[in-house]
Amino acid sequence: MSRFIERHPAWALITLIAIAFLLWLIFAIWPPGVEDAIGKKKVFLNAILNGITLGGLYFLVASGFTLIFGLMRNVNLAHGSLYLFGGYVGYAVSVWTGSWILSFIIAFVAVALVGVALQILVFRRMEGQDLRQTMVTIGLSIVFADLMLWAFGGDFYQIQTPAWLIGPVELPLITAVKSSGEAVYLQYPQVRLVIFAASVVIGVAMWLALNRTRFGMMVRAGVDDRDILAATGVHIQIIFVVVFALGAGLAGVAGVVGGTFQSISPGEDTRFLLASLVVVIVGGMGSIPGAALGALIIGLAEQLGSVYIPTYAIVVTFLIMVLVLALRPQGLVARR
């Protein structure tokens, strides 16, 4: 951060002013002129929180993708299919058992097993062949999409939120002040807040596992120079299978999350694959903090755009990606 400030003092000042202005918009009581220009504060705050929680969902999908694509250099364009499959599995388990927590566990295990099969049967045979991996996984994503359409149909499904998470939570964010002087505070669904908190915990755990453990050291060493690591007696393929299973399992967990506060249906696989690509490109390949930052930026841009410029919301997302590619091609938080 200090290096960025030294090299780009003007951009650092602009960023600081923008952050300060955003914090003022969130926590201050808006004067009438601001509401006339922007709209109701409640709508703005909901858009901000929706963007943050959507960023948590994007992070869960993209963190698995950045493990597979950014760290292991495996081009898995069937990653969106893993997300959708996890959502369908979670929905089926929640209907059969009535347990929301169990749906996460079963979805993680089921999709992780699919990831193991992909790594052993597909990627292990095409290591370093990016074009072949791309074409094969595109074909697999089409096959998976047709199989899921055959099995689950074209309907929309939503996973039932457990009773203990239903209802809003009052947050210490003032949306308006009544004529009596009483403050009106924002209420927000607690399920979204709990899921976002869980995504933060998962992100921190992944970063610690990759950067503060022997296993993470072996993963990074195996990507950089697998021959040297193999010479030390480490079974590299087992490590890669475990990493691929973890990345796929996270996509399955994200599918359950997406099915809980949004819905699951045909086409969601393509949407979340594209979102994962954008997040990884913006944040930086192979970087967990980069995936978190990219997911937050894209989530906020998507939600704020859909509220204030709905016609051009999708353009904003890709404009961010283009700017990052033009100014910092390695991503905002490049892996060292």
Side-chain angles (χ1 to χ4, degrees):
M1 181 62 70
S2 59
R3 186 177 300 177
F4 174 80
I5 295 174
E6 292 175 1
R7 293 182 177 180
H8 310 281
W11 281 109
L13 179 61
I14 292 172
T15 303
L16 183 62
I17 293 173
I19 292 174
F21 180 65
L22 179 61
L23 291 175
W24 180 84
L25 288 175
I26 293 173
F27 293 103
I29 299 174
W30 288 9
V34 176
E35 289 203 346
D36 292 340
I38 300 179
K40 296 293 184 181
K41 186 179 180 181
K42 182 178 180 180
V43 175
F44 172 77
L45 289 178
N46 273 297
I48 290 289
L49 289 175
N50 287 342
I52 292 173
T53 53
L54 179 62
L57 173 58
Y58 282 165
F59 170 74
L60 288 176
V61 185
S63 59
F65 190 75
T66 199
L67 284 176
I68 296 171
F69 180 43
L71 273 177
M72 296 176 60
R73 305 293 190 268
N74 287 335
V75 185
N76 181 23
L77 295 187
H79 194 75
S81 300
L82 300 178
Y83 165 87
L84 186 57
F85 179 60
Y88 281 134
V89 170
Y91 172 79
V93 172
S94 66
V95 170
W96 291 339
T97 66
S99 174
W100 186 64
I101 300 296
L102 185 60
S103 66
F104 282 95
I105 299 173
I106 300 300
F108 178 87
V109 173
V111 181
L113 291 175
V114 175
V116 170
L118 283 175
Q119 207 283 328
I120 294 175
L121 300 177
V122 178
F123 290 100
R124 185 176 296 183
R125 302 171 184 271
M126 296 184 295
E127 290 183 356
Q129 302 178 47
D130 295 346
L131 181 59
R132 287 188 64 190
Q133 291 178 1
T134 301
M135 300 306 295
V136 169
T137 52
I138 288 176
L140 286 174
S141 68
I142 296 172
V143 172
F144 291 156
D146 286 342
L147 288 174
M148 287 184 284
L149 181 62
W150 168 72
F152 296 95
D155 296 331
F156 287 79
Y157 297 96
Q158 185 164 21
I159 299 172
Q160 185 64 40
T161 303
W164 52 278
L165 284 179
I166 294 177
V169 173
E170 189 175 89
L171 300 177
L173 299 174
I174 299 175
T175 61
V177 178
K178 297 180 180 179
S179 57
S180 62
E182 182 184 356
V184 179
Y185 293 94
L186 180 70
Q187 293 188 336
Y188 196 74
Q190 62 177 329
V191 63
R192 282 178 171 259
L193 297 175
V194 169
I195 288 173
F196 175 73
S199 68
V200 172
V201 171
I202 290 173
V204 172
M206 288 177 59
W207 184 86
L208 291 174
L210 287 173
N211 294 277
R212 295 291 185 270
T213 66
R214 175 179 170 81
F215 178 77
M217 178 189 67
M218 290 190 294
V219 170
R220 290 180 282 114
V223 171
D224 294 334
D225 196 334
R226 66 181 61 190
D227 293 332
I228 295 297
L229 185 63
T232 64
V234 175
H235 297 286
I236 297 175
Q237 294 301 334
I238 294 178
I239 293 176
F240 282 3
V241 165
V242 172
V243 173
F244 207 105
L246 177 60
L250 285 172
V253 168
V256 181
V257 172
T260 300
F261 66 74
Q262 293 185 339
S263 62
I264 47 176
S265 62
E268 291 293 293
D269 50 349
T270 303
R271 175 194 167 192
F272 278 89
L273 171 64
L274 187 59
S276 298
L277 284 168
V278 174
V279 166
V280 170
I281 290 171
V282 171
M285 289 197 305
S287 171
I288 300 301
L293 179 60
L296 181 62
I297 292 172
I298 298 304
L300 286 171
E302 189 173 311
Q303 290 299 307
L304 289 172
S306 65
V307 170
Y308 294 105
I309 47 172
T311 305
Y312 305 103
I314 190 66
V315 177
V316 175
T317 300
F318 285 99
L319 180 61
I320 292 172
M321 184 182 70
V322 170
L323 287 174
V324 170
L325 286 174
L327 301 176
R328 191 174 171 82
Q330 69 271 34
L332 297 177
V333 185
R335 185 176 71 91
R336 295 181 179 179

